[in-house]
Amino acid sequence: MEYLIYYIFVFTLIPTALYKTYKDYIIPVDKIGILLPHYKVNSLIVLSIGIYSLLLGCAYDTGQDYWHYYDYYQNQVKGAFDLWGSSRELMFQYLITFLASVFPSHTAFFILCAFLNGFVWVKISSLYGKAAFCVMFAWYIFMFPLSLNLYRQYIAMSLFMFAYYLFIKGYNSKINKKLCLLIIIILYLGFSFHTSMAAGLCIIILCYFLSRFTINKWYIIGTIVFITISSNTILHDFFYSIGGLVSLFQGVSGRGYEFQEMLDTRWDESRMLYIIMLIHITYIWYADKLFRKSTHLRFLYLTMALSFMLIPITQQEILLRIRIYIINFLAISLGILFYEYFVRRRVQHDSIPLLFAFLIEISYNLYILYDMGTMFPLNFKF
């Protein structure tokens, strides 16, 4: 239980600072992504990011991948060879080599990862004015548990989302060549920490171009229902069969095994799969009314829809690492949705189904976090 209490406390730090900072900056819904507030830095935000980084950086044994990073860092400090680390991306190896030469404690790396997440998401949340604290809280609910395990990818993701922040800021003031070059450099750095960013970038670019069109919500809802139901029937058998062929013809190669792992995804056969499907349909229903007022909102709407389509069929780890980039934008979408229906408009009778959907999913994700606490008890090591 102390694990859950600890992380709920962590969840309140930065959203509280954002609320205090942007509480007077109200952006009309049709101006979201167009009318951008000035980024503000004050002592409360600096303090909250600092505490957040220290608490997360000093947390010990937080997930299955934690020990890979811990051992690699310790081996770099000792000058010993590490098989796992030597096969990772070069930029990650350079970063660990540099940090190990300056800081003897492994916490330097984990504090840096937490700081990048906190810093970048404070900047992204600031794009949405008073809704900033809702966006930040939504990120915690939907993305935070993975940040305790996928450290390399979260560095790549932080750089990816920082490039998004620069693009949105520049898009509204005419992007120049220098800004384009800076965004390309940042994206390349992100790719050099985790190559999965390339797939995530392609998906986001696709959503950006599709946002110029209006897609009927019934097509989206129908697709979500079809994929969810068929993920335990047609698609399950289809991918299982392809996985067998890949195992037969390509099993001798490393790439063949990777591809087979993606096809042999872990299928969710619980009742919760269908409850989550109904929750996602509820989100789409309410977002469709709200997110058609600008290209930026339509982009967020499409990323939300695509996330819901991918979730039932991308439970396997490799596929999850690709899907995770688009879920960042899902967090933004749900943060705006929550703010518009429950903060700006207050809770009205016609938004009660949406409120129930939020409460069920928040409770479910907190349960997942609690379950993680039973496997990885709260501990600190400096």
Side-chain angles (χ1 to χ4, degrees), residues 167-315:
F167 175 79
I168 295 299
K169 294 289 283 188
Y171 186 80
N172 290 275
S173 58
K174 296 184 179 180
I175 297 179
N176 54 46
K177 292 181 180 179
K178 290 183 179 179
L179 182 60
C180 284
L181 180 61
L182 178 60
I183 290 174
I184 291 172
I185 291 172
I186 291 173
L187 289 174
Y188 178 76
L189 284 174
F191 176 79
S192 65
F193 274 101
H194 208 287
T195 54
S196 65
M197 199 197 77
L201 180 61
C202 291
I203 294 174
I204 296 305
I205 291 174
L206 175 63
C207 289
Y208 174 75
F209 283 109
L210 288 176
S211 66
R212 302 176 183 275
F213 304 95
T214 300
I215 301 176
N216 191 295
K217 68 173 180 279
W218 291 110
Y219 293 146
I220 296 173
I221 291 172
T223 304
I224 292 172
V225 172
F226 172 77
I227 291 177
T228 302
I229 294 175
S230 63
S231 67
N232 285 328
T233 53
I234 302 170
L235 292 178
H236 179 279
D237 297 335
F238 175 71
F239 283 125
Y240 183 81
S241 300
I242 294 179
L245 291 175
V246 170
S247 177
L248 180 63
F249 293 107
Q250 292 184 308
V252 294
S253 67
R255 292 296 177 186
Y257 283 125
E258 282 186 11
F259 190 48
Q260 183 188 2
E261 285 179 6
M262 290 194 292
L263 293 170
D264 293 339
T265 186
R266 294 189 299 271
W267 305 96
D268 187 352
E269 298 178 355
S270 67
R271 293 179 182 177
M272 197 64 198
L273 173 70
Y274 299 101
I275 296 174
I276 293 296
M277 179 191 75
L278 294 175
I279 289 172
H280 292 168
I281 291 172
T282 304
Y283 292 156
I284 291 295
W285 184 270
Y286 282 90
D288 184 75
K289 302 177 182 179
L290 189 69
F291 282 32
R292 296 189 178 276
K293 300 184 178 182
S294 70
T295 302
H296 183 72
L297 286 175
R298 286 197 298 273
F299 164 74
L300 293 176
Y301 178 68
L302 284 174
T303 56
M304 173 192 288
L306 188 57
S307 295
F308 297 156
M309 294 173 192
L310 291 175
I311 284 173
I313 57 174
T314 54
Q315 298 297 315

Side-chain angles (χ1 to χ4, degrees), residues 31-49:
K31 298 295 182 182
I32 288 177
I34 301 172
L35 183 62
L36 305 177
H38 295 292
Y39 176 66
K40 299 178 182 179
V41 179
N42 54 37
S43 57
L44 186 58
I45 285 181
V46 172
L47 181 63
S48 63
I49 293 177

Side-chain angles (χ1 to χ4, degrees), residues 112-126:
L112 176 62
C113 292
F115 172 78
L116 284 174
N117 283 332
F119 171 75
V120 169
W121 272 91
V122 163
K123 294 189 77 68
I124 290 171
S125 299
S126 71

